[in-house]
Amino acid sequence: MGSSGDDGYRLLNEYANGFMVSQVLFAACELGVFDLLAEAPGPLDVAAVAAGVEASSHGTELLLDTCVSLKLLKVETRAGKAFYENTELSSAYLTRVSPTSQCSLLKYLGRTSYGCWGHLADAVREGKNQYLETFGVPAEDLFTAIYRSEGERLQFMRALQDVWSVNGRSVLTAFDLSGFPRMCDLGGGSGALAKECLSLYPGCKVTVFDIPEVVRTAKQHFSFLQEEEIRFQEGDFFKDPLPEADLYILARILHDWADGKCLHLLERVYHTCKPGGGILVIESLLDEDRRGPLLTQLYSLNMLVQTEGQERTPTHYHMLLSSAGFRDFQFKKTGAIYDAVLVRK
């Protein structure tokens, strides 16, 4: 240790410069580099990309070459000139035409989450989210801060649609849900997970329950071909009557809230739920010793800077769900980012 060539120093620099990698990804998406290359009839040189994204040639060249090193782009040289094209990774996840595009999620992370993370030390000191410091928005009502404008609400909903385009199938097939013909997605946003439910369980009907502004945005900006099977209902799941259902889905909901609010919501679901009905909780689960996975630990810090909650272990969720009255606790690690917990009344 103590020299510029040792592994520890290299690792330190990798960590310290990690924010630069994120910004390369965010900038390339925001500029539309991957979309431009996807639409082109063949690889493009620096001049063509710079013109297409309306950027300087110098800056574009630096960005493109860094994307090549990050395996986001491929490059070939012809007659001394570099030509760039997308890799399989960028074609699948970084172009808007792809059904698994993550562009909206990355835009949200780059514009909103990234700003909050700049105040991580303050969040650790204070034990609370950083919306006031980052955006000047009070966060006593959490989702008033998260949905602080119509544009931000739409961006958040599109980001979650991206999440479920990749992760929806694995969490909804972790257990056989065919025995639950009526489902209710509490806080279901755009209805992306509801659509995935219908594709996997064709006989089911899904109610998406969310606050009025979200339901209005969903109807204005997201298309629904299965209008008879997906129904939207306005309401606040902390205080308004919940729809009747055989299965209540809580996907990335409980991690937003402290234990007390989680228990209050789970008790409300328990009182509405009929015997034999259940809850499917979809979250990124921490290991029991809370020492990993690293991504879930980072998500838990993200909950600190952006919400009132945290990521939890299976035992922690078991405690909350059993305290609300639910039984037959099961959980499955999917091997992907999000895992599934199933309980019954």
Side-chain angles (χ1 to χ4, degrees):
M1 285 291 184
S3 71
S4 61
D6 71 49
D7 290 342
Y9 187 76
R10 280 196 293 269
L11 188 61
L12 175 65
N13 273 277
E14 184 180 329
Y15 292 167
N17 296 319
F19 75 96
M20 298 183 190
V21 175
S22 298
Q23 286 292 359
V24 167
L25 180 58
F26 298 154
C29 284
E30 183 174 327
L31 290 166
V33 168
F34 306 110
D35 289 326
L36 177 69
L37 291 171
E39 294 164 3
L44 299 179
D45 64 11
V46 170
V49 176
V53 302
E54 299 181 340
S56 70
S57 293
H58 175 61
T60 300
E61 184 173 24
L62 294 176
L63 183 65
L64 294 177
D65 285 339
T66 307
C67 284
V68 171
S69 294
L70 292 172
K71 296 182 172 52
L72 302 177
L73 294 178
K74 295 185 288 189
V75 64
E76 60 176 302
T77 303
R78 303 178 201 157
K81 183 182 286 190
F83 290 83
Y84 301 85
E85 62 182 326
N86 288 328
T87 61
E88 287 186 18
L89 184 160
S90 55
S91 294
Y93 300 117
L94 302 178
T95 60
R96 295 190 180 279
V97 294
S98 170
T100 54
S101 171
Q102 301 296 290
C103 292
S104 293
L105 174 62
L106 293 171
K107 186 175 181 181
Y108 179 80
L109 292 174
R111 293 187 176 182
T112 298
S113 301
Y114 195 88
C116 291
W117 273 78
H119 298 276
L120 177 60
D122 293 329
V124 171
R125 288 189 195 101
E126 300 163 9
K128 65 179 185 180
N129 68 60
Q130 297 297 299
Y131 282 106
L132 184 61
E133 290 74 7
T134 308
F135 303 108
V137 179
E140 285 77 13
D141 184 340
L142 178 61
F143 273 83
T144 297
I146 292 176
Y147 296 149
R148 60 192 175 278
S149 70
E150 186 170 348
E152 186 69 13
R153 181 170 61 248
L154 178 59
Q155 190 62 51
F156 183 84
M157 292 169 68
R158 284 176 171 162
L160 285 184
Q161 187 174 41
D162 284 359
V163 168
W164 300 130
S165 73
V166 175
N167 296 283
R169 179 168 293 267
S170 63
V171 292
L172 292 174
T173 56
F175 301 99
D176 181 3
L177 305 179
S178 60
F180 301 103
R182 295 180 306 160
M183 301 183 187
C184 177
D185 189 1
L186 295 172
S190 69
L193 204 57
K195 286 184 179 181
E196 194 66 36
C197 284
L198 291 183
S199 70
L200 294 168
Y201 304 101
C204 76
K205 293 184 182 295
V206 187
T207 300
V208 177
F209 189 80
D210 217 316
I211 58 176
E213 309 92 281
V214 170
V215 171
R216 183 178 68 248
T217 300
K219 290 180 176 179
Q220 287 176 347
H221 295 279
F222 298 89
S223 61
F224 297 92
L225 300 176
Q226 311 97 333
E227 292 183 1
E228 293 183 1
E229 290 82 11
I230 296 178
R231 183 174 71 94
F232 282 82
Q233 183 172 328
E234 298 177 0
D236 181 334
F237 53 49
F238 282 123
K239 59 186 180 185
D240 293 324
L242 302 178
E244 289 189 1
D246 303 303
L247 180 73
Y248 293 87
I249 299 172
L250 290 168
R252 287 180 39 131
I253 298 296
L254 297 180
H255 74 170
D256 289 335
W257 307 103
D259 284 1
K261 282 192 174 180
C262 288
L263 186 57
H264 172 62
L265 174 57
L266 293 172
E267 287 174 341
R268 297 195 81 238
V269 176
Y270 183 83
H271 290 305
T272 304
C273 190
K274 289 184 168 59
I279 290 182
L280 179 71
V281 174
I282 298 169
E283 297 285 2
S284 187
L285 294 176
L286 282 167
D287 296 338
E288 287 296 349
D289 62 5
R290 306 182 66 84
R291 300 289 183 265
L294 174 59
L295 183 59
T296 308
Q297 291 174 310
L298 293 172
Y299 283 178
S300 209
L301 282 172
N302 194 57
M303 294 301 100
L304 175 65
V305 298
Q306 284 200 258
T307 73
E308 299 175 10
Q310 61 179 318
E311 306 299 350
R312 297 175 171 92
T313 65
T315 295
H316 197 157
Y317 280 116
H318 191 185
M319 179 272 292
L320 289 170
L321 290 157
S322 61
S323 296
F326 289 97
R327 58 178 176 80
D328 296 342
F329 177 91
Q330 305 174 69
F331 79 92
K332 284 194 179 177
K333 290 265 195 172
T334 64
I337 296 173
Y338 294 98
D339 306 302
V341 172
L342 182 66
V343 292
R344 290 178 181 269
K345 180 173 180 179

